[in-house]
Amino acid sequence: QVQLVESGGGLVQAGGSLRLSCAASGGISGINSMSWYRQAPGQQRELVATITSGGSTNYADSVKGRFTISRDNAKNTVYLQMNSLKPEDTAVYFCNAFMSLWRAPGFSDYWGQGTQVTVSS
């Protein structure tokens, strides 16, 4: 059974930091890109950051210079280090992996269940 399990969300004051983790498991044969998305109440889900299997990264303009995405390929895990947090970063953060399974060759998108990040002013 494929799982993407996120952890590390919580409540933090503005200016603080949090580190999110997402571990993928369950018959994975390969992972291409891994990403973090977020969705605030009443808003569409938006891309926060992406990292390729080779380590190339891309960030939303709103988080550049504050957030850092990284991954551990041996552990099928992606991280999001969030510094200088702002109230507008408050959202549910979702992990995404574009990956292939042994039982289902070919790459598809898989999602975690989401973790709440709340930044108080």
Side-chain angles (χ1 to χ4, degrees):
Q1 182 177 352
V2 177
Q3 284 189 307
L4 273 72
V5 179
E6 299 128 332
S7 60
L11 173 64
V12 64
Q13 288 189 331
S17 298
L18 284 174
R19 188 189 194 216
L20 305 182
S21 300
C22 172
S25 62
I28 300 167
S29 60
I31 301 179
N32 191 329
S33 62
M34 301 186 82
S35 304
W36 287 97
Y37 287 73
R38 67 186 181 187
Q39 188 167 19
Q43 304 292 320
Q44 288 189 331
R45 190 172 297 189
E46 64 172 354
L47 177 64
V48 176
T50 297
I51 185 166
T52 68
S53 55
S56 297
T57 59
N58 188 48
Y59 296 92
D61 287 343
S62 58
V63 306
K64 281 181 181 176
R66 300 188 298 122
F67 290 11
T68 301
I69 189 170
S70 61
R71 64 191 280 177
D72 184 333
N73 291 330
K75 296 181 179 180
N76 291 338
T77 299
V78 63
Y79 306 96
L80 186 68
Q81 178 66 44
M82 305 185 293
N83 298 328
S84 303
L85 282 160
K86 305 175 181 180
E88 50 264 43
D89 294 318
T90 295
V92 178
Y93 284 70
F94 296 90
C95 171
N96 168 275
F98 189 58
M99 61 188 187
S100 179
L101 308 180
W102 292 111
R103 62 173 173 83
F107 285 83
S108 298
D109 280 309
Y110 293 86
W111 294 88
Q113 80 287 353
T115 185
Q116 178 70 45
V117 171
T118 303
V119 184
S120 63
S121 58

